[in-house]
Amino acid sequence: MFFRQSITRRQTLHLGLAALAGMGACAQKQSGKLVDQDNQAQLSTSFTIEGESSLKERAAAKGLIYGAAGSYSALSSNPEFAAKFAQECAMLVPENSLKWLTLRPSREQFNFNQGDWLAQFADRHDMLFRGHTLVWNQSLPQWFQNNVNKGNAESLMREHLQVVMKHYAGKVHSWDVVNEAIFPQHGRADGLRLTPWLQTLGPNYIDLAFEIAAEMDPQAMLVYNDTRMAHDTPENESRRTNVLKLLERLKSRGVPVHALGLQAHLWGWGKVPFLEPKRMRAFLHEVAQLELKILVTELDVADNQLPADPQIRDRLVAGAYEDYLSVVLDEPAVIAVLTWGLSDQYTWRSKWPRGDGNPVRPLPLDAQMNRKLAWNAIARAFDHTRAR
Ligand code: G3I
């Protein structure tokens, strides 16, 4: 009895999920069949929510923004998905349409068709619009990779930011100016990733990108966005340390960086441990102390190695959402939560399919556009957080 009274709600959830995870592992071994029917009771005991209001409404009630990444192809071809998107989201992030690869078939040509369609879609539905992403090592067209050198890299960067940011100036809430610049595995003391930008312009390419960005769209929030900072692994720890050092360095030089984007592509509960809540809060507090806002920019939860039973899987995924958000939202500097997609029908995670052939279920809505436990978990995290 004493034990029951003294554990927190989150600990209760952990205990329940630990039992389910164990059961799931067992179930997996037995060809995906649920072996312990008694545990079925636990499948319906949590993630309860009150009311039917949307994620954007629940977030807004606390002074937060909820939104998602959406692709041009999905939103322009599936009216049911588009309607759900508008119902749930207060912000749209083009998943791929503002990357170099889509925007620039050649150095001379810019193709804004997809980006403009998405910007208009956002506008039509009173959604904020986010820019993703300007300076990254991926999604660079072949012509760029073939031609970039020390002599032209700065002008290529300037020209790109000038044309693209000016095209959308005044319409963009925030831009991911530099994406994924830290990669400790490359062995540099500063943790920087070896990219064409680093190799041509040196480490100050990051300063340069933010300085140019501030010139091109003075209204947009300028974000440094990076991945893998949620879990308790040496690699994640090293990234947190290096990201913090990078942000400190940028701020100390007066570089106009306004926010940190935490991508948050998470592992389903039980796969890799989350960073202990106290340490996560301390990390976020250090970021906030630099007078930076924080956005959760690409949240989703991998379920490709979780048990086959969708009920168990959905609970483990929802548990990860709730665990992560309930800690991260304790930091008042966090202003937005964006999932990387909205429906399981459209997710980059399907590129890493499950061994059993079942479709992945990493997002708030299922492939038929119904709300899942992950949706409940996000809703609960908004409902339970303090107002900004
Ligand atoms: O559009 C082409 C299509 O015409 C072609 O038939 C098809 C063949 O493979 O490829 C399509 O393009 C793919 C595109 O996704 C649209 O599906 C690209 O090959 C593929 O590389 C691209 O992957 C995207 C990836 O970033 C690389 O840009 C994912 O959709 C997108 O979810 C992912 O998002 C990244 C963020 O930008 C940064 N953080 C990590 C996150 C997940 O990797």
Side-chain angles (χ1 to χ4, degrees):
M1 192 62 183
F2 171 75
F3 175 69
R4 273 203 187 170
Q5 282 172 346
S6 62
I7 60 175
T8 63
R9 183 200 53 76
R10 193 178 309 141
Q11 283 167 326
T12 311
L13 179 63
H14 276 199
L15 290 172
L17 289 171
L20 286 170
M23 176 181 71
C26 185
Q28 226 178 8
K29 273 186 206 138
Q30 306 210 1
S31 318
K33 281 190 190 128
L34 197 60
V35 287
D36 184 352
Q37 295 302 320
D38 289 347
N39 282 311
Q40 282 283 13
Q42 288 178 284
L43 298 176
S44 56
T45 54
S46 201
F47 303 109
T48 50
I49 48 147
E50 284 172 25
E52 287 299 313
S53 47
S54 64
L55 292 180
K56 72 176 175 190
E57 289 163 334
R58 288 168 197 267
K62 300 300 172 70
L64 285 161
I65 301 165
Y66 170 73
S71 73
Y72 165 78
S73 59
L75 286 167
S76 64
S77 66
N78 184 337
E80 192 193 355
F81 175 60
K84 289 283 177 184
F85 204 100
Q87 184 190 332
E88 298 286 356
C89 297
M91 184 183 271
L92 164 64
V93 192
E95 185 172 354
N96 290 308
S97 297
L98 298 184
K99 293 174 179 171
W100 282 65
L101 198 57
T102 316
L103 283 176
R104 298 193 68 177
S106 70
R107 179 163 185 175
E108 295 72 32
Q109 291 172 285
F110 284 80
N111 183 344
F112 289 110
N113 293 344
Q114 292 187 16
D116 288 358
W117 190 94
L118 290 168
Q120 281 159 18
F121 177 82
D123 192 44
R124 238 185 2 258
H125 296 286
D126 287 328
M127 277 184 253
L128 298 166
F129 190 60
R130 234 175 96 61
H132 175 82
T133 177
L134 295 164
V135 177
W136 191 25
N137 63 302
Q138 286 188 41
S139 285
L140 290 167
Q142 200 57 51
W143 66 259
F144 176 95
Q145 299 182 48
N146 293 344
N147 292 299
V148 66
N149 58 47
K150 288 185 181 178
N152 65 13
E154 182 171 342
S155 60
L156 276 164
M157 182 192 283
R158 179 171 287 280
E159 154 194 297
H160 187 78
L161 271 59
Q162 180 168 350
V163 176
V164 176
M165 292 187 81
K166 281 192 181 283
H167 186 83
Y168 292 109
K171 296 180 185 156
V172 174
H173 168 274
S174 48
W175 267 108
D176 289 333
V177 177
V178 177
N179 194 38
E180 299 173 12
I182 299 293
F183 194 69
Q185 294 92 321
H186 279 164
R188 287 175 54 98
D190 55 11
L192 288 181
R193 186 189 291 271
L194 301 180
T195 73
W197 299 112
L198 181 85
Q199 282 154 335
T200 52
L201 295 170
N204 289 351
Y205 83 87
I206 299 174
D207 311 43
L208 184 65
F210 279 98
E211 274 151 13
I212 299 173
E215 200 186 311
M216 299 309 163
D217 185 355
Q219 287 178 46
M221 180 182 286
L222 304 181
V223 181
Y224 174 73
N225 194 44
D226 214 327
T227 189
R228 294 184 183 214
M229 288 180 272
H231 289 287
D232 194 4
T233 65
E235 188 249 359
N236 278 217
E237 180 63 20
S238 173
R239 188 172 275 101
R240 284 188 292 271
T241 305
N242 283 301
V243 164
L244 205 50
K245 277 193 201 151
L246 170 65
L247 294 172
E248 280 164 2
R249 187 177 66 74
L250 293 174
K251 289 297 283 188
S252 72
R253 293 189 193 184
V255 173
V257 53
H258 306 137
L260 170 64
L262 303 169
Q263 290 191 8
H265 296 293
L266 307 177
W267 288 101
W269 196 87
K271 164 84 179 147
V272 183
F274 279 128
L275 184 64
E276 203 251 314
K278 222 187 206 169
R279 287 173 57 209
M280 178 55 106
R281 288 191 196 98
F283 168 67
L284 299 176
H285 184 66
E286 283 197 73
V287 174
Q289 291 288 95
L290 294 169
E291 296 185 356
L292 293 169
K293 297 293 183 197
I294 299 169
L295 295 84
V296 176
T297 49
E298 304 186 14
L299 180 59
D300 60 13
V301 179
D303 72 330
N304 57 346
Q305 295 187 35
L306 295 181
D309 187 302
Q311 280 189 304
I312 297 172
R313 225 183 328 145
D314 282 1
R315 281 185 64 90
L316 296 172
V317 166
Y321 273 107
E322 185 155 293
D323 279 2
Y324 180 74
L325 286 177
S326 62
V327 174
V328 167
L329 290 177
D330 282 346
E331 170 51 58
V334 175
I335 58 164
V337 173
L338 306 154
T339 47
W340 202 242
L342 181 67
S343 153
D344 293 336
Q345 188 171 350
Y346 305 109
T347 165
W348 73 291
R349 288 211 175 269
S350 51
K351 289 182 197 167
W352 284 271
R354 295 176 51 83
D356 59 19
N358 289 319
V360 295
R361 298 170 65 84
L363 288 169
L365 304 184
D366 69 15
Q368 289 73 43
M369 310 299 156
N370 302 306
R371 292 170 172 177
K372 291 160 51 195
L373 286 186
W375 186 97
N376 288 34
I378 300 170
R380 281 163 59 89
F382 292 152
D383 290 350
H384 294 161
T385 194
R386 281 191 303 268
R388 266 63 189 152

